Amino acid sequence: MTTDPPTCPTESASEFDPREVVGVSGAELAAELRRLRSRAGLTQEELAERAGISVRAVSDIERGVRRRVYPVTARQLAVALELSAAERSTFERTARGLPAAASPASLLPAPRTVFFGRQHEIGELSEQLAADPPILVTVTGPGGVGKTRLALETVRACGSNFTAVHWVQLGDVGDPSLVMATIARSVGTRPTELPKALRARRTLLVLDTFEHLLPAATELAALLDCCAGLTVLVTSRARLRISGEHEFVLGPLSVAAAGLFIDRALAANRRLTIDKDLIARLCERLDGLPLAIELAAARTRHLSLADLSRQLDDGNEVLERGPADLPRRQQSIQATVAWSYHLLDPAAQSLMRRLSVFSGWTLEQAEPLDALATLLDHSLVTASTDTTCGTRYEMLDLVREYAVREAAAHGETATFRAQHANDFLRLVRELEPLLRTTEQGAAQLRLDAELPNLRAAQRWLLTNAPSQALSLAASLWMFWLWRGGLTEGRQWLADALAAGDGTAADRAKALWGAGWLAFHQRDVERTGAYGEELLQLADDTKDAVHRRNALTLHGLTDLAAGDFEAARAAFIQAQQALSGAREPWLIATSALNTGIAELCAGDVSAAEGRFVDAAHQYAELGDQTYLYRANRHLGAAALVNGQLERAEQLFAAELLDEHGSTEWGMAESLDGLSWVAAVRGDHERARDLTHDAADLRQHLGVLPHPLDVLLSHRFRGTPTHPAVHRASS
């Protein structure tokens, strides 16, 4: 059988290779060209014009007359059809009568376990690799997060888009100068011929585990510069820091973590009893790190899930001795973190140890900044945006645990703990005055963000510096009041007061705060006891503020007992104690307290005047929280006077504020609206609002104020506690 002569002037006999003629019919080529032309929406004439060949040539191929075409013709057709690199390679081989090339995926390491999650990440990474070469994508993340497996699964998913894929394992290469030689050996050429070998076609080069070879990054950059068809995918705990690098940050597993644990645990112990809730907690404790999850799951061969959880909580080394075929650095979590730690310079190692005492920190708390940048680059620290604190940084628990052990080994723990506690005591002292100003919202949010650090600082201070523990607890009582952590705040104050140390000013503030928190949990006996001790202290200090606060606590106990006239007298005395003092917030709050006692006693007009005065002063101070509270009390007075619409507006104001509301204020507002609904006869709405308010109070750990109890009894007919019931009857 003879072969048709060239049908295009560009087809020269010099390109004919007899070895490419095989005894295969042209049906496969014909079907493929018809499919691709149809997909492109082209007629035979249009395809011929685009490719620069005759219509006869296209027709002959599609009719199966031609069993193969010359290489240049195949390339022209591929370009005209706008084929991808992988499609072009396949089409050209088919057009030339050659067998299909081996799949790039067949050249990859073969995983022996099921892959969980990361489908979104695979899609994103595949898109980045699809960009026009030359391109460098570096998958970064902490040790054990699954960078290698993600790279492997991504290449398996999109490797057909490349004409060649080379997987190069660098974990065991100890010298950066050997990187290029290792790559060349994997490609199958000499180092001097490497650029030529990678230049001619679209190639994907995967370099696994690069973090200890960073000096070789410049050679890699040079390789990219001279290889127009090269795409490089790198896995590394640190980015390479060369121009053109695209960093792909890989975080821990979330939803898929439990599935991974169950799969690996059942492989270790097929009779294991699955407790999904406990497994979810275990995965959270393991930071969602796939390596940690796999190591822990393997322990279920000998431990129940409950025993495993206890072992982890006790800090026992249960994440050791992974599969023997893993690299040594991955056979335990400690070895994984140690690998990264020992790649750091001394300054970065020192900072990592110091930061181990933090539960998250801000930029200003982590110096030197160059060392922090190094920790970020090596994926030992993560950064996130916080609307209150700006950028916030933290370590995964498993990384922090290693750093804690290193700090102890260096004899630095006590020093770091003392410095940490002092730093947060200073921060609390700076923020405390802001809790009564226009900046109170930001101050509360900042304190809430730092709560884990504050707890750690308080624990250390109680044991090592009780006077400072008292100062810290005393400065935070109003934060606990509005955050809703009354039980925890009371415990802080009780422990610090029991330590029996500290200045008179700190002790007085602590007694005042402890009395307030006890009152709002209806522990009136403790409120009275704190008030008595504070009054004795005020007699010694002759301090007007101390006396005012002691009298306020006495007034609160009278109010809770239903003796409203005695409460009114105590609150008035408290305000008078500040005569001439520059304490506008305390004066405003004394007016508010006096108005509450007057409203309870039935003197609505006098109460309204107090509430208006207090509201004006809070507005001038910028204390939105207490301004809303004063307005809610005005709403209560309006309700008593039968002004339902005004009452409803005043009660609803804080609920309509998306940014300035507090859960406590919302609870009191919901109660107020329930009273309005009850007066209007809408008892179903009143009941729903009451339940919502009760749920919020239960969450906060507070009980209704005596005024709220009295008004609930009056307008909703709900039971009240005996003292208020007697006073209102």
Side-chain angles (χ1 to χ4, degrees):
M1 177 177 180
T2 60
T3 304
D4 291 338
T7 58
C8 166
T10 58
E11 292 189 17
S12 64
S14 63
E15 293 190 355
F16 173 71
D17 184 350
R19 291 171 299 175
E20 295 183 353
V21 179
V22 294
V24 180
S25 72
E28 182 181 353
L29 174 59
E32 183 66 2
L33 184 59
R34 284 196 300 270
R35 182 184 71 82
L36 293 172
R37 180 175 60 78
S38 175
R39 188 185 71 177
L42 300 173
T43 64
Q44 288 186 348
E45 290 77 7
E46 289 169 336
L47 176 58
E49 183 179 357
R50 280 192 181 188
I53 62 177
S54 69
V55 178
R56 165 76 182 278
V58 175
S59 175
D60 285 351
I61 295 171
E62 291 195 358
R63 288 185 293 114
V65 174
R66 299 190 62 175
R67 297 166 57 186
R68 64 139 183 102
V69 296
Y70 288 91
V72 67
T73 303
R75 286 195 293 272
Q76 288 173 283
L77 285 168
V79 171
L81 291 165
E82 298 181 346
L83 303 184
S84 68
E87 289 176 324
R88 176 175 171 175
S89 175
T90 301
F91 175 75
E92 289 183 6
R93 295 185 69 85
T94 301
R96 293 161 63 189
L98 298 176
S103 168
S106 66
L107 306 176
L108 300 175
R112 295 192 294 274
T113 56
V114 178
F115 185 63
F116 282 84
R118 305 291 200 198
Q119 296 307 314
H120 179 71
E121 290 91 337
I122 288 175
E124 284 189 340
L125 188 54
S126 296
E127 286 184 10
Q128 289 197 20
L129 295 176
D132 290 334
I135 189 172
L136 166 65
V137 181
T138 305
V139 179
T140 63
V145 79
K147 300 181 293 297
T148 297
R149 188 63 186 270
L150 175 68
L152 177 59
E153 297 299 331
T154 300
V155 176
R156 287 165 61 86
C158 71
S160 60
N161 294 328
F162 298 89
T163 56
V165 174
H166 299 286
W167 182 281
V168 185
Q169 174 55 252
L170 297 173
D172 294 329
V173 178
D175 188 343
S177 66
L178 299 177
V179 169
M180 289 299 121
T182 304
I183 294 174
R185 186 165 55 252
S186 296
V187 172
T189 188
R190 296 187 299 273
T192 55
E193 298 295 319
L194 186 58
K196 181 179 179 181
L198 298 176
R199 184 183 298 139
R201 50 186 180 169
R202 189 168 190 198
T203 299
L204 175 61
L205 182 63
V206 186
L207 306 179
D208 186 37
T209 312
F210 205 95
E211 61 267 9
H212 60 302
L213 303 168
L214 295 179
T218 54
E219 292 184 89
L220 184 60
L223 186 64
L224 279 162
D225 287 341
C226 64
C227 295
L230 180 60
T231 296
V232 179
L233 175 61
V234 177
T235 70
S236 175
R237 300 186 192 183
R239 59 194 182 98
L240 276 55
R241 303 178 68 89
I242 57 178
S243 60
E245 179 182 19
H246 299 262
E247 184 178 12
F248 189 96
V249 179
L250 184 62
L253 283 173
S254 53
V255 177
L260 173 62
F261 185 97
I262 292 172
D263 179 80
R264 304 306 194 255
L266 289 176
N269 179 5
R270 61 185 179 85
R271 293 184 177 85
L272 182 70
T273 300
I274 300 299
D275 182 335
K276 291 185 177 180
D277 291 337
L278 182 52
I279 288 173
R281 292 195 296 272
L282 279 168
C283 291
E284 183 178 359
R285 173 67 179 78
L286 296 168
D287 292 321
L289 286 176
L291 177 60
I293 290 170
E294 296 208 27
L295 292 173
R299 291 296 185 174
T300 60
R301 182 177 292 105
H302 309 293
L303 296 172
S304 69
L305 292 178
D307 288 338
L308 176 60
S309 178
R310 282 190 292 271
Q311 291 284 319
L312 286 170
D313 290 341
D314 292 342
N316 293 329
E317 293 294 337
V318 297
L319 304 183
E320 300 288 342
R321 292 187 300 172
D325 59 338
L326 285 177
R328 182 173 298 178
R329 67 182 184 281
Q330 293 182 343
Q331 290 190 12
S332 76
I333 284 297
Q334 183 171 352
T336 297
V337 180
W339 167 270
S340 293
Y341 176 80
H342 289 294
L343 293 175
L344 302 174
D345 58 65
Q349 289 181 346
S350 177
L351 180 62
M352 180 174 165
R353 296 194 300 270
R354 180 170 72 81
L355 293 175
S356 68
V357 301
F358 285 78
S359 296
W361 62 88
T362 61
L363 186 62
E364 63 187 3
Q365 294 167 328
E367 294 181 350
L369 300 184
D370 287 346
L372 177 61
T374 299
L375 296 180
L376 285 163
D377 286 344
H378 283 261
S379 303
L380 290 165
V381 164
T382 59
S384 60
T385 301
D386 187 285
T387 56
T388 303
C389 311
T391 304
R392 193 163 181 84
Y393 305 87
E394 62 182 356
M395 294 180 192
L396 295 175
D397 287 344
L398 296 170
V399 174
R400 183 185 300 108
E401 288 168 5
Y402 178 86
V404 165
R405 288 194 291 269
E406 283 294 308
H410 283 75
E412 300 167 325
T413 303
T415 300
F416 290 159
R417 282 289 175 197
Q419 183 179 347
H420 173 272
N422 288 329
D423 287 346
F424 282 97
L425 176 58
R426 182 167 55 252
L427 176 67
V428 166
R429 286 171 173 167
E430 292 172 359
L431 294 178
E432 181 193 11
L434 304 182
L435 293 173
R436 300 166 188 162
T437 69
T438 55
E439 298 179 67
Q440 62 183 202
Q444 289 171 358
L445 289 173
R446 177 65 192 279
L447 289 171
D448 197 55
E450 299 291 4
L451 190 51
N453 283 311
L454 296 175
R455 287 171 173 146
Q458 183 69 356
R459 286 193 298 270
W460 192 89
L461 290 173
L462 275 171
T463 301
N464 299 278
S467 63
Q468 292 178 315
L470 181 66
S471 182
L472 182 62
S475 298
L476 280 174
W477 78 265
M478 187 164 282
F479 163 72
W480 293 117
L481 185 69
W482 292 113
R483 185 185 187 275
L486 275 72
T487 300
E488 184 174 359
R490 287 184 67 186
Q491 190 63 54
W492 281 40
L493 288 161
D495 291 343
L497 286 166
D501 202 353
T503 66
D506 283 338
R507 190 164 191 85
K509 189 193 299 184
L511 289 167
W512 179 38
W516 262 106
L517 297 182
F519 173 75
H520 284 290
Q521 290 194 320
R522 209 174 289 161
D523 189 353
V524 182
E525 183 178 351
R526 291 304 303 158
T527 299
Y530 287 132
E532 285 295 331
E533 185 177 349
L534 182 53
L535 190 59
Q536 293 175 14
L537 183 61
D539 290 340
D540 295 334
T541 63
K542 310 302 181 186
D543 187 291
V545 171
H546 298 169
R547 182 168 181 78
R548 178 266 173 196
N549 292 341
L551 290 168
T552 298
L553 294 181
H554 277 292
L556 292 175
T557 59
D558 292 333
L559 192 69
D563 191 343
F564 304 133
E565 289 300 333
R568 176 182 182 181
F571 292 144
I572 291 175
Q573 290 178 42
Q575 186 168 354
Q576 291 172 344
L578 294 176
S579 179
R582 298 181 61 182
E583 294 287 352
W585 190 88
L586 292 176
I587 292 171
T589 305
S590 287
L592 188 70
N593 292 335
T594 305
I596 292 172
E598 289 171 337
L599 185 59
C600 288
D603 192 346
V604 182
S605 178
E608 283 185 304
R610 306 279 188 186
F611 297 152
V612 169
D613 288 345
H616 286 161
Q617 292 181 71
Y618 291 136
E620 289 181 7
L621 291 168
D623 187 342
Q624 187 66 46
T625 299
Y626 262 78
L627 174 58
Y628 277 134
R629 196 166 200 209
N631 283 332
R632 284 196 299 275
H633 292 324
L634 277 170
L639 184 61
V640 172
N641 285 331
Q643 300 169 317
L644 299 187
E645 290 186 7
R646 173 172 165 75
E648 187 172 43
Q649 290 174 352
L650 289 166
F651 287 136
E654 184 167 359
L655 295 173
L656 299 175
D657 187 344
E658 295 181 0
H659 305 291
S661 61
T662 64
E663 288 187 313
W664 190 329
M666 292 169 64
E668 292 187 339
S669 297
L670 290 168
D671 257 339
L673 291 173
S674 76
W675 305 330
V676 174
V679 172
R680 287 176 171 161
D682 191 346
H683 300 294
E684 182 177 356
R685 174 172 169 75
R687 183 176 62 253
D688 290 343
L689 291 167
T690 300
H691 288 162
D692 290 344
D695 288 344
L696 274 175
R697 284 199 173 96
Q698 183 176 10
H699 169 68
L700 294 168
V702 300
L703 294 171
H705 190 281
L707 174 63
D708 297 335
V709 175
L710 179 64
L711 294 175
S712 293
H713 176 65
R714 174 170 178 173
F715 295 112
R716 290 203 310 257
T718 55
T720 183
H721 65 79
V724 175
H725 181 74
R726 287 196 301 272
S728 61
S729 59

